[in-house]
Amino acid sequence: MPDATPHIRQLLARLFAASVRAVDPAALVAQRLLRDGPRVVISDTSTSWSGLTLIAAVGKAAIPMAESAAATLGSDLASGVAIAPRAGLRPIAEINCLEGGHPLPSVDGERATRRLMTLLASHPNAAVLALISGGASSLMVQPTPPVTLDDKIATTAALLACGASIQEFNTVRKHLSQVKGGGLVRLAHGRPLVALILSDVIGDDPADIGSGPTAADPTTFADVYQIVQRYGLSASLPSTVLDRIEAGQRGELDETLKPGAAELGAVSNVVIGSNAGALRAAAAAAYAAGYEPIVADEPLSGDTTAAARTFAAWITRVPRLLPTCFLAGGETTVSLGPNPGRGGRNQEFALACSAQLAGSDIVLLSAGTDGVDGPTDAAGAFVDGSTSARARTRGCDPSDALAAHDSYRFFAALGDLFQPGPTSTNVMDIKIALVGSAPPIA
């Protein structure tokens, strides 16, 4: 174990695990999806229905959400499709569990989405239970012709590289898709459609989560055009995509489903879990371990390095008398230059904190609640007051690694990667910083 106190890192891992357990997708579905005789009800709402039901589950938590829903529906489950990353796939009776691509859409995802569209068309009288979680935007893909899957992949890659926010990202994707931006509502053709949603976006707006397949879309082609101009994407996007955006801006194409549309009368969107729940659980676990929890007032967003330095300044500035646990959630962005190294926004966040934490008694974990950070096998990384000094003794310069977006190799050399594996849930990221010492974990 590296220099930082081993039991502090062990506690950080336990606090992370507590946050993930609080947003366990199967448990959240079971808490809200209930039976009242022949009727299915959503607790704490007026939503209920009866009769045959289709399951349309998409996202990193699709499989556990679908399993839980299927158990509640019982014989009322007509059929279903669940689209998830390969690592989370397992069979469920009566439900076709299919692979999709993430963070880039894939041929498998396009094929799976087509199966989902066929399912909805083949059972026109069945209600639809949609189960939406983080990653759905990439996993469920069906471009609007003449835009192709390759065009969509190129567009996704360009948006990932430019540092666009998730809201901007999804604004573009909605206007290239048959299923996003209320697309599933249109495919339901007025039948009851209930969506249970695990939020992975700041604000928990169903229109943003998974690119809003079951919600009205307030954005327009004009908004898409502005995003393209803002990030200078004209040279990076395929001609079919640019042509569609320009035609839409001229009013020549149908818009996405808008607020007030008649189809929305049969739709209920219910957010059943979010980052806030994960933070509350981590705070409770920290208090039980002898730390005073302090949760940031606002979620972290924007540029990762800037957000990290602001967070580090906050936790080093706040007066404290007791061992303290600082907590924040959110999702930041990284703008990649040419030939970037390997890493993810959480590893980069930790690395960006290292200079300000040097010499302190602070130990920090930045991690994605899905257990995955960028295209790596880590969820994030640990950083502490000794990180910068230990790195330099190994010939690693924190500033150089940050500039090269090469955080994975940096933390791997120190043994500071956090690698819990995929969690089958996703409510953005969590930052946990412990200051001072509490008794070691037994």
Side-chain angles (χ1 to χ4, degrees):
M1 180 70 69
D3 230 29
T5 310
H7 78 264
I8 296 295
R9 294 196 178 200
Q10 184 182 1
L11 177 56
L12 283 168
R14 289 182 60 173
L15 298 183
F16 174 84
S19 73
V20 168
R21 284 196 301 274
V23 288
D24 175 77
L28 291 172
V29 170
Q31 290 165 13
R32 301 301 300 274
L33 186 71
L34 307 174
R35 296 301 300 245
D36 182 10
R39 299 195 68 77
V40 181
V41 301
I42 307 299
S43 65
D44 301 323
T45 75
S46 60
T47 299
S48 68
W49 72 96
S50 61
L52 291 177
T53 302
L54 301 173
I55 285 179
V58 189
K60 294 180 181 179
I63 301 302
M65 292 179 81
E67 284 179 327
S68 183
T72 297
L73 291 174
S75 60
D76 283 338
L77 174 59
S79 186
V81 167
I83 308 174
R86 177 184 299 176
L89 287 179
R90 57 180 178 268
I92 307 174
E94 308 300 332
I95 296 176
N96 292 309
C97 297
L98 305 171
E99 179 183 348
H102 189 276
L104 295 176
S106 67
V107 171
D108 287 334
E110 185 178 42
R111 186 181 302 116
T113 304
R114 200 174 299 122
R115 289 280 295 276
L116 175 56
M117 295 169 72
T118 300
L119 175 72
L120 296 179
S122 63
H123 294 75
N125 297 317
V128 180
L129 176 62
L131 306 168
I132 309 297
S133 56
S137 291
S138 175
L139 292 161
M140 183 169 62
V141 55
Q142 195 67 210
T144 301
V147 176
T148 67
L149 178 62
D150 286 342
D151 295 335
K152 196 75 174 288
I153 292 171
T155 302
T156 301
L159 289 164
L160 285 170
C162 77
S165 71
I166 188 62
Q167 286 78 12
E168 292 170 325
F169 206 132
N170 288 348
T171 295
V172 176
R173 291 194 282 200
K174 289 176 186 179
H175 287 83
L176 306 177
S177 174
Q178 299 181 57
V179 290
K180 299 176 175 66
L184 286 189
V185 177
R186 285 174 166 161
L187 291 169
H189 295 296
R191 78 185 87 175
L193 170 60
V194 178
L196 300 184
I197 303 171
L198 188 62
S199 174
D200 69 331
V201 301
I202 292 171
D204 304 331
D205 187 346
D208 292 326
I209 303 163
S211 295
T214 61
D217 175 29
T219 70
T220 65
F221 276 106
D223 295 319
V224 178
Y225 183 81
Q226 290 175 7
I227 293 167
V228 171
Q229 298 306 307
R230 184 178 305 136
Y231 292 99
L233 296 175
S234 295
S236 305
L237 300 181
S239 59
T240 55
V241 171
L242 291 173
D243 289 346
R244 178 170 173 79
I245 294 169
E246 291 169 359
Q249 188 189 27
R250 293 193 299 267
E252 297 171 5
L253 301 176
D254 290 337
E255 266 287 359
T256 49
L257 188 70
K258 293 291 173 271
E263 299 99 316
L264 293 167
V267 178
S268 296
N269 286 301
V270 183
V271 175
I272 62 172
S274 68
N275 189 261
L279 289 174
R280 284 194 299 269
Y287 182 79
Y291 285 80
E292 177 188 8
I294 300 177
V295 182
D297 292 333
E298 298 293 333
L300 299 170
S301 62
D303 178 73
T304 293
T305 297
R309 289 171 176 165
T310 299
F311 182 78
W314 175 55
I315 64 178
T316 55
R317 185 179 63 242
V318 173
R320 51 193 181 271
L321 299 175
L322 300 172
T324 305
C325 175
F326 292 94
L327 292 151
E331 185 168 295
T332 59
T333 57
V334 177
S335 300
L336 298 175
N339 304 313
R342 192 177 180 206
R345 62 178 179 263
N346 283 287
Q347 295 159 67
E348 190 147 320
F349 186 99
L351 181 55
C353 287
S354 61
Q356 286 162 275
L357 300 187
S360 74
D361 62 345
I362 298 172
V363 188
L364 178 147
L365 170 63
S366 175
T369 55
D370 59 355
V372 178
D373 188 35
T376 76
D377 59 0
F382 297 99
V383 66
D384 56 61
S386 71
T387 297
S388 294
R390 288 187 291 115
R392 290 190 173 94
T393 64
R394 291 165 172 77
C396 301
D397 185 277
S399 297
D400 290 347
L402 187 62
H405 302 291
D406 201 17
S407 53
Y408 182 91
R409 186 170 62 173
F410 177 90
F411 285 115
L414 299 180
D416 290 354
L417 292 169
F418 179 54
Q419 298 168 297
T423 64
S424 292
T425 192
N426 185 17
V427 293
M428 299 189 290
D429 303 330
I430 187 169
K431 322 295 179 185
I432 314 172
L434 297 179
V435 188
S437 59
I441 298 172

